[in-house]
């Protein structure tokens, strides 16, 4: 599914984010940048040890929830990996929505600052961190839309969703957003 925004493209695709040949892919990291399962596990497996070596060297104190840091992408087809830290879902009263929006926002900002025209993103916080996908997808797409509307560099934002359920939730949220 694809929509045009100010001549730029917002896309949804079902698949594996590590296979994306875009300028930057976004990792669903934790604040220690310690690696783990899900997207994070797949990125470090596919990219090789140079990514973890770089996060340890450049960001020894990790990355706060709601923010992101950038590294090269090792053996992956992308040029950069942007490690974004979404919130753990705790019921919605602990600022989760703001933190999720801010993690996406910072990831987009870093991609633009590094001259990336295309970026692929996962459903941050929607796996191990338990964020309800109907709510998370609206936040993710709103931030992506705002980015594409005003950023001078970004041309393509593609959400790469794992499985038909996650794709369907994002597709419903995208239809709901008025373009
Ligand atoms: N490509 C695209 N999406 C994927 C892939 C993939 N290869 N693998 C999983 N997903 P998660 P979180 C989907 O758990 O909730 C890690 O241990 C998955 O189905 O990766 O932000 C980190 O180290 C789900 O829809 O990220 C952190 O500790 C979405 O990606 C913690 O998990 C996000 O699931 C972060 O949890």
């Amino acid at each position: 599914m694809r929509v045009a925004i100010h001549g730029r493209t917002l896309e949804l695709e079902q698949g594996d984010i590590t296979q994306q040949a875009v300028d930057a892919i976004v990792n669903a990291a934790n604040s220690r940048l310690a690696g783990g399962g899900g997207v994070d596990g797949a990125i470090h497996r596919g990219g090789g040890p140079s990514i973890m070596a770089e996060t340890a060297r450049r960001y020894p104190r990790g990355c706060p929830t709601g923010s992101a840091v950038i590294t090269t992408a090792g053996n992956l087809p992308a040029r950069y990996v942007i490690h974004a830290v979404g919130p753990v879902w705790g019921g919605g009263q602990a600022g989760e929505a703001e933190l999720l929006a801010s993690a996406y926002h910072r990831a987009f900002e870093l991609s633009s600052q590094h001259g990336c025209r295309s970026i692929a993103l996962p459903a941050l916080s929607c796996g191990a961190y338990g964020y309800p996908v109907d709510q998370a997808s609206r936040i993710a797409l709103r931030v992506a839309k705002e980015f594409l509307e005003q950023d001078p560099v970004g041309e393509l934002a593609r959400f790469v969703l794992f499985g038909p359920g996650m794709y369907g939730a994002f597709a419903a949220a995208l239809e709901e957003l008025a373009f």
Side-chain angles (χ1 to χ4, degrees), residues 81-98:
V81 175
I82 296 173
H83 307 265
V85 184
V88 177
W89 177 253
Q93 302 303 309
E96 290 94 333
E98 291 76 17

Side-chain angles (χ1 to χ4, degrees), residues 15-19 27-43 45 84-88 121-131 133 160-163 166 170:
D16 176 354
I17 199 162
T18 64
Q19 305 300 313
N27 183 17
N30 53 64
S31 56
R32 289 173 300 126
L33 303 176
V39 178
D40 205 0
I43 284 178
R45 265 195 311 279
V85 184
V88 177
L121 311 102
L124 292 177
S125 290
C126 290
Y129 283 178
Y131 210 116
V133 63
V160 180
L161 292 326
F162 219 45
M166 208 54 71
F170 269 72

Side-chain angles (χ1 to χ4, degrees), residues 60-160:
R61 285 185 291 185
C63 173
T65 302
S67 191
V69 298
I70 190 165
T71 66
T72 53
N75 303 323
L76 297 172
R79 288 168 53 211
Y80 296 104
V81 175
I82 296 173
H83 307 265
V85 184
V88 177
W89 177 253
Q93 302 303 309
E96 290 94 333
E98 291 76 17
L99 288 167
L100 184 62
S102 155
Y104 277 115
H105 179 76
R106 183 67 188 136
F108 282 121
E109 199 170 68
L110 277 173
S111 77
S112 177
Q113 285 167 359
H114 287 76
C116 299
R117 289 189 297 205
S118 55
I119 180 170
L121 311 102
L124 292 177
S125 290
C126 290
Y129 283 178
Y131 210 116
V133 63
D134 56 327
Q135 296 180 47
S137 54
R138 291 192 196 114
I139 294 169
L141 293 170
R142 174 177 53 76
V143 178
K145 177 175 183 257
E146 287 165 5
F147 170 73
L148 291 170
E149 280 169 352
Q150 52 77 29
D151 187 78
V153 180
E155 291 174 2
L156 168 69
R158 178 185 294 148
F159 285 89
V160 180

